[in-house]
Amino acid sequence: DTKSVLDQCLRILQAMLDYSADQGWLTCSIYVINMMQMCCQGRWLSDSDLLTLPHVETEHLIRFYSNSPRIDCLPRLLN
């Protein structure tokens, strides 16, 4: 059931995006894009982007934050 709901959710959000973009509602379109991204990734927009890495959970973020150069995003991790 969850998979079918998520499939339909993305279709509904895509229709909302098409309509809001057609009407020229930029702010609404950005909110819908953010919602689609959250549905696809299974993460809240406010979550750290480090949580998108495999096997990284919330309790592991303390280790990233406690380094001398604080690692709080993916570009800093690559550097």
Side-chain angles (χ1 to χ4, degrees):
D1 288 342
T2 304
K3 183 176 176 163
S4 66
V5 168
L6 286 176
D7 286 341
Q8 293 173 9
C9 172
L10 291 175
R11 289 186 188 131
I12 292 169
L13 288 171
Q14 183 65 46
M16 290 173 63
L17 178 61
D18 290 343
Y19 183 76
S20 62
D22 187 50
Q23 295 296 317
W25 301 335
L26 178 62
T27 305
C28 181
S29 298
I30 291 173
Y31 286 146
V32 173
I33 290 170
N34 286 336
M35 181 66 75
M36 290 174 69
Q37 182 178 1
M38 288 188 288
C39 288
C40 289
Q41 291 182 347
R43 298 279 179 197
W44 292 106
L45 189 62
S46 60
D47 286 349
S48 172
D49 54 348
L50 294 171
L51 293 173
T52 59
L53 296 172
H55 308 294
V56 175
E57 298 296 328
T58 308
E59 56 268 7
H60 300 131
L61 292 179
I62 297 169
R63 294 181 185 165
F64 287 112
Y65 295 159
S66 64
N67 288 345
S68 59
R70 182 181 164 130
I71 300 172
D72 55 358
C73 60
L74 288 174
R76 288 191 184 167
L77 179 64
L78 293 176
N79 287 339

